[in-house]
Amino acid sequence: MAFQTKNPVIRWIEYRMPIFSFIDHSVGSGYPTPKNLNYWWNFGSLAGVALMIMIATGVLLAMQYTPHVDYAFRSVERIMRDVNYGWLIRYIHMNGASFFFIVVYIHIFRGLYYGSYKAPRELLWMLGLVILLLMMATAFMGYVLPWGQMSFWGATVITNLFSAIPVIGDSIVTWLWGGFSVANPTLNRFFALHYLLPFVILGVVVLHIWALHRFGSNNPLGIDVKGPQDTIPFAPYYTVKDYFGIGVFLIAFAVVIFYLPNYMGHTDNYIEANPLQTPPHIVPEWYFLPFYAMLRAITFNIGIPFTGVVLIEAKLGGVITMFGSILILFLLPWLDTSPVRSAKFRPLYKWFFWVLVADVVMLDYVGSQPPEGIWVPIGQVCTAYYFIHFLILMPLLGKLERPKPLPVSISEPVLKGSGPVGAAATAQPMEKA
Amino acid sequence: MRKTVLSLAVAAVLALGAADSARAAGEIKLPPKDWSFDGVFGTFDPAALQRGLQVFKNVCSACHGLDFVAFRNLAALGYDDDQIKKIAADFQVQDGPNDQGEMFMRPAVPSDRWPSPFANEQAARVANGGALPPDLSLMAKARAGGPTYIYNLIGEGFVEPPAGVEVTPGKYYNKYFPGHMISMPPPLSEGVVEYADGTKATVPQMAEDVSTFLMWAAEPNLIARKRMGIKVILFLIVLTGLLYAVKRRVWSDVAH
Amino acid sequence: MADIAKPAHGGGGDHDGETRRDFLFLAAGAVAAVGAASVAWPLIDSLNPAADVLALASTEADLSPVEVGQSLTVTWRGKPIFIRHRTDKEIEEARAVPLSELPDPETDQARVIKAPWLIMVGICTHLGCVPLGQKPGDPRGEFGGWFCPCHGSQYDTSGRIRKGPAPKNLVVPSYKFDTDTTITIG
């Protein structure tokens, strides 16, 4: 379906710079998309919307904010009190971070369930993980800017992670701070980077979409598109479905902004930073809690048994575990040995997927609890399971599991008027030999 | 679709639950209290705010600042310009330097912020036996429980210490203060304020009024926010409904 | 959020539903447009002066130390306010000029509350520079008032434009005398 129009202005521009056919090819009627995408596929476009909301409100907030330790807290309160609609813009931005992460986490788990990371979409998956890492860095630095107690102590704790690096760790931390503690130089550079990184994210999003368009979207059946009968044009079908998804998203977002704006925040961040007094409970924002739990799970040194030789101190071990939990996802396309993408046809993996979800939710909860008593071993078991899932279960399942027969094509189950089970009779035995 | 919605709802509940528990860790349980500003249609009662201001001005402001509130903000409590000017004029603020290069004191004007009772942190500590009375501008948002915490702390919290609990000299036992040893003496006693509107100034009444006032001080746009929220959400529901109808129409010719 | 459902060329056929479909598209598009406009306003309005800025909209000035022939500059809303205690000669000069000679005709009487005290916003009406003429050594131009160094506009002893590119007289702010020697501007 080539791009065509009668509008002379569009034709004039199109002849000199074919931007309209480019858009049409990217997200328009010229982009054939599997016809069977379900609502879990809405979260990619939602993440894009969330990024746009964050950039728009962030730019406006930056015009009112003062990145100086003496004025940062005050300037945020001025936004909340004196700036016209400042409270609205700040609450959108503050809760927008949470909603961005909710959407992205669902997007990632959707990829895990339907095997969207598998060949030939490995690079697409890895670019997505780069976006996640950039988002985490951006969110962390953004949280420092209001210069409340949690801002300050969160910045102190997280930057101190780098002191776990042997030999040069302390120098790196001093370099990160631009001083001998988290102070004004730190706040200034965090502000500069917090403004910069979203645009880097935007750039990687373009790459992510570029990679997506090479093979198109995966789909709930996880089988390849066999021909035009399996696809529908992205516009208007998926544009309108995305609009509806955005509407639902905005309703949920509005409920939190207007009625629970501080629900996901922490009360201590309404106390101005005090470098001499740490709050009794330091808790990161909820979207970091699973990683925080893994950081704290390593309470022991790792060494050669019975010799007393310490190879990795507990502190370094925790840091490695935390970063490893994301880095391991980069290897997932190769750790998963199953020839079948969608968990729909993987009777065992389907269950382990939900165990992993429960494990991560549990880690989120453990991360919110003080690191004492029963929570320490629970955190350790959950952390261990997280790595076991990816390092042991994923390679093993591919070998042991007998996938259900796959349908011949996306349109097949629809034509048969029944689900994939009905199509099984004609399906090629695609399970591993 | 129904399954998707259900899973989403479960995920949301789990995520919010985790956030909730993050805050609940290691806290003293507060008896619940209903507030006029709770809920979707919540609002501030101007009379309660004015009484709360009176309690704050006559009692709290001797030791606590209210740095983020300017006198001009008191218009939200139902005062007109002249009344605000009169309230402001009761306070002295530092200004300057003047033509002689010296700082000087002058009566506050509406654009001034509420002056701190102490010149600096050290002065505050030395006047209060080493303790620092915190600024109260954001207190209703800076403590778990917010206004309910403030109400319980000053209205109900000062009780006889349980047997066996030794109270350090200069400290007071408070049921709801973390650690129970608070440096603030019980601030309220019956009749410490004589309300201009004739309301009987009991301790719970004053605690409730001043907590309401501090909630307003911490979140002056609370009412505007809730009012706007209703409109925005109703609008979004209509829009989303329309978009759903459009989606159904567009998809009507796709077998799926 | 500014998305407006585009009644694109998809689907085809379906003649019966065409009218209802068009209506639905239009309705959704119109509602979305209203939403986008309502979102735009708070974002734009956030850049207007905030409440604390508006609250500082008036300034008081004490005129008692300013002798005849001297000038005083005070700040009001971040802008310089020129206050000149004019000599009788300066007042006379300003009032002797026929209005027909002025690019922006205005009598001196209309520009002052008390004749000796000329109070103006010290911003050249051309492109916003601050004219010279407040300090004793400053150039004051051919008309004994103020001279803008940026593009050579010249103002007379009533602050009226006489020569150069500026289109208007220096602006007189709203002010009032609280006592004989103190004023409130704004």
Side-chain angles (χ1 to χ4, degrees):
Chain A
M1 237 187 282
F3 175 77
Q4 279 169 341
T5 179
K6 286 199 169 68
N7 186 320
V9 178
I10 292 180
R11 285 167 77 109
W12 189 92
I13 297 172
E14 174 70 18
Y15 179 69
R16 285 151 184 86
M17 180 178 71
I19 185 168
F20 295 103
S21 57
F22 175 77
I23 293 172
D24 186 62
H25 179 71
S26 305
V27 290
S29 55
Y31 177 41
T33 314
K35 64 199 290 184
N36 61 334
L37 301 187
N38 58 29
Y39 275 102
W40 295 108
W41 263 262
N42 274 53
F43 287 86
S45 69
L46 283 181
V49 168
L51 178 61
M52 288 304 138
I53 293 174
M54 292 306 278
I55 289 179
T57 52
V59 166
L60 287 170
L61 288 173
M63 292 177 186
Q64 310 280 1
Y65 170 76
T66 311
H68 186 286
V69 291
D70 292 343
Y71 302 104
F73 190 81
R74 179 163 291 280
S75 71
V76 171
E77 271 311 308
R78 182 178 169 273
I79 291 170
M80 293 296 291
R81 289 157 191 273
D82 287 335
V83 172
N84 304 317
Y85 299 105
W87 58 269
L88 175 63
I89 298 171
R90 191 205 170 209
Y91 276 154
I92 292 175
H93 198 74
M94 198 171 120
N95 290 294
S98 280
F99 274 80
F100 198 1
F101 272 99
I102 291 172
V103 163
V104 164
Y105 283 156
I106 293 175
H107 188 59
I108 292 172
F109 274 109
R110 190 269 288 154
L112 287 175
Y113 187 83
Y114 293 109
S116 302
Y117 49 86
K118 291 166 77 112
R121 296 186 182 83
E122 302 96 321
L123 198 56
L124 171 62
W125 169 257
M126 289 158 83
L127 286 166
L129 292 174
V130 171
I131 294 173
L132 174 64
L133 288 172
L134 287 168
M135 275 175 67
M136 288 176 149
T138 310
F140 160 66
M141 288 189 272
Y143 194 58
V144 177
L145 302 185
W147 208 242
Q149 274 287 66
M150 279 293 165
S151 300
F152 181 87
W153 293 100
T156 301
V157 168
I158 300 300
T159 48
N160 262 316
L161 292 181
F162 293 88
S163 69
I165 299 168
V167 188
I168 54 166
D170 286 334
S171 312
I172 288 182
V173 173
T174 310
W175 177 76
L176 285 173
W177 287 341
F180 301 102
S181 63
V182 172
N184 200 50
T186 326
L187 180 62
N188 269 283
R189 61 189 62 182
F190 277 19
F191 178 55
L193 291 172
H194 182 72
Y195 203 117
L196 170 71
L197 286 185
F199 297 96
V200 179
I201 292 177
L202 199 59
V204 184
V205 167
V206 170
L207 297 181
H208 189 68
I209 295 172
W210 191 359
L212 170 71
H213 279 74
R214 180 71 178 87
F215 294 102
S217 293
N218 183 31
N219 64 80
L221 296 176
I223 57 176
D224 291 332
V225 166
K226 298 287 189 318
Q229 72 280 7
D230 287 349
T231 66
I232 44 176
F234 190 83
Y237 295 101
Y238 285 111
T239 35
V240 79
K241 195 175 174 182
D242 280 346
Y243 290 153
F244 169 59
I246 291 166
V248 175
F249 168 81
L250 290 179
I251 291 172
F253 194 22
V255 168
V256 172
I257 290 169
F258 291 105
Y259 296 105
L260 300 161
N262 293 306
Y263 187 76
M264 289 185 273
H266 196 290
T267 48
D268 278 346
N269 229 27
Y270 282 109
I271 305 172
E272 191 168 1
N274 178 357
L276 302 180
Q277 193 183 10
T278 309
H281 302 288
I282 299 232
V283 188
E285 294 288 83
W286 70 266
Y287 39 83
F288 289 138
L289 289 176
F291 306 99
Y292 191 58
M294 292 197 228
L295 171 75
R296 298 191 306 184
I298 310 301
T299 52
F300 44 85
N301 295 337
I302 298 165
I304 303 166
F306 313 117
T307 59
V309 179
V310 175
L311 295 178
I312 299 171
E313 287 193 344
K315 184 169 163 185
L316 180 58
V319 174
I320 291 173
T321 307
M322 183 178 76
F323 285 111
S325 66
I326 294 178
L327 296 181
I328 203 171
L329 296 174
F330 280 90
L331 302 177
L332 181 58
W334 296 277
L335 288 170
D336 181 355
T337 53
S338 173
V340 174
R341 290 200 192 99
S342 173
K344 246 186 166 140
F345 306 107
R346 300 186 60 187
L348 285 178
Y349 173 68
K350 190 189 246 175
W351 288 105
F352 283 109
F353 169 83
W354 288 111
V355 176
L356 179 72
V357 172
D359 185 62
V360 173
V361 170
M362 193 65 210
L363 279 169
D364 198 64
Y365 189 79
V366 171
S368 71
Q369 298 301 310
E372 51 197 34
I374 187 73
W375 298 113
V376 178
I378 290 179
Q380 289 170 337
V381 168
C382 289
T383 305
Y385 182 80
Y386 181 89
F387 284 91
I388 288 170
H389 174 92
F390 289 108
L391 288 175
I392 299 174
L393 292 176
M394 289 307 278
L396 272 185
L397 275 177
K399 308 251 185 270
L400 299 177
E401 187 179 48
R402 257 185 82 82
K404 291 185 198 162
L406 295 176
V408 177
S409 75
I410 291 172
S411 41
E412 176 103 355
V414 179
L415 292 174
K416 287 262 169 179
S418 61
V421 182
T426 52
Q428 293 295 314
M430 294 259 301
E431 71 249 45
K432 68 164 276 307
Chain B
M1 164 112 185
R2 187 174 300 155
K3 219 172 117 190
T4 311
V5 170
L6 193 72
S7 329
L8 270 179
V10 170
V13 167
L14 285 173
L16 293 180
D20 208 25
S21 64
R23 140 197 17 234
E27 262 164 30
I28 301 165
K29 197 135 178 54
L30 296 170
K33 182 156 175 60
D34 291 331
W35 295 100
S36 65
F37 46 82
D38 283 342
V40 174
F41 301 102
T43 187
F44 286 124
D45 170 16
L49 285 176
Q50 294 196 1
R51 290 195 302 269
L53 171 69
Q54 223 187 323
V55 176
F56 179 84
K57 194 179 155 197
N58 293 1
V59 182
C60 317
S61 73
C63 300
H64 293 278
L66 198 67
D67 193 31
F68 292 119
V69 175
F71 291 106
R72 63 186 156 82
N73 298 139
L74 297 178
L77 273 57
Y79 293 110
D80 63 29
D81 286 355
D82 290 333
Q83 288 170 310
I84 292 171
K85 276 184 188 152
K86 259 178 77 186
I87 296 169
D90 285 351
F91 291 84
Q92 291 284 312
V93 293
Q94 195 182 47
D95 200 350
N98 61 13
D99 296 343
Q100 277 75 49
E102 275 153 21
M103 304 303 279
F104 60 93
M105 299 302 280
R106 60 163 173 81
V109 295
S111 64
D112 284 314
R113 282 181 283 111
W114 198 288
S116 168
F118 302 104
N120 49 52
E121 181 182 334
Q122 285 72 13
R125 283 191 189 277
V126 80
N128 288 283
L132 176 69
D135 188 272
L136 296 186
S137 315
L138 282 164
M139 191 50 72
K141 276 156 81 181
R143 295 289 183 276
T148 307
Y149 167 77
I150 298 172
Y151 170 81
N152 282 300
L153 185 89
I154 58 175
E156 317 274 351
F158 290 97
V159 291
E160 282 301 310
V165 172
E166 192 83 16
V167 179
T168 335
K171 298 273 178 188
Y172 304 85
Y173 185 84
N174 191 298
K175 217 161 46 156
Y176 299 111
F177 187 71
H180 299 303
M181 297 295 159
I182 191 168
S183 304
M184 174 173 72
L188 301 177
S189 55
E190 183 139 350
V192 68
V193 169
E194 196 171 322
Y195 278 136
D197 65 1
T199 307
K200 196 166 181 310
T202 62
V203 170
Q205 179 69 41
M206 288 185 286
E208 180 172 331
D209 290 341
V210 81
S211 302
T212 305
F213 172 75
L214 288 177
M215 187 66 226
W216 167 80
E219 185 90 356
N221 291 308
L222 186 141
I223 300 308
R225 190 183 80 217
K226 294 191 170 188
R227 292 285 171 280
M228 189 190 286
I230 300 168
K231 288 182 225 158
V232 170
I233 290 167
L234 286 178
F235 171 84
L236 284 172
I237 288 172
V238 170
L239 175 62
T240 307
L242 275 171
L243 288 172
Y244 185 63
V246 169
K247 191 252 162 194
R248 298 265 317 220
R249 281 305 285 175
V250 170
W251 280 75
S252 59
D253 55 359
V254 181
H256 64 288
Chain C
M1 285 170 289
D3 292 326
I4 295 163
K6 201 167 66 179
H9 20 267
D14 196 9
H15 294 290
D16 296 344
E18 204 76 350
T19 326
R20 204 180 130 210
R21 169 182 273 193
D22 286 350
F23 171 74
L24 259 179
F25 286 155
L26 275 174
V31 173
V34 169
S38 335
V39 169
W41 173 244
L43 301 185
I44 294 165
D45 192 35
S46 77
L47 299 176
N48 273 322
D52 59 334
V53 176
L54 294 174
L56 294 176
S58 67
T59 295
E60 287 179 16
D62 180 10
L63 307 180
S64 53
V66 187
E67 303 287 338
V68 175
Q70 287 185 337
S71 295
L72 172 72
T73 307
V74 298
T75 312
W76 172 65
R77 291 184 176 176
K79 294 185 277 198
I81 297 297
F82 288 173
I83 300 172
R84 184 177 288 184
H85 197 169
R86 299 189 294 183
T87 60
D88 289 344
K89 183 167 160 280
E90 285 172 331
I91 299 168
E92 218 167 280
E93 273 173 19
R95 297 192 169 179
V97 186
L99 285 186
S100 57
E101 275 185 30
L102 298 171
D104 179 16
E106 204 179 358
T107 62
D108 182 63
Q109 283 86 343
R111 292 174 56 79
V112 293
I113 294 176
K114 293 185 178 179
W117 295 104
L118 179 61
I119 291 156
M120 306 175 302
V121 177
I123 303 272
C124 180
T125 55
H126 179 220
L127 290 172
C129 296
V130 177
L132 298 172
Q134 286 292 90
K135 282 185 238 144
D138 281 352
R140 290 186 170 185
E142 295 167 32
F143 305 93
W146 287 265
F147 172 76
C148 181
C150 291
H151 303 95
S153 293
Q154 303 192 23
Y155 298 90
D156 67 11
T157 54
S158 188
R160 293 172 298 197
I161 181 65
R162 299 295 290 274
K163 198 173 174 188
K168 298 270 179 197
N169 303 332
L170 290 176
V171 173
V172 176
S174 71
Y175 66 93
K176 65 177 198 292
F177 278 86
D178 299 323
T179 67
D180 276 353
T181 55
T182 59
I183 56 167
T184 301
I185 306 160

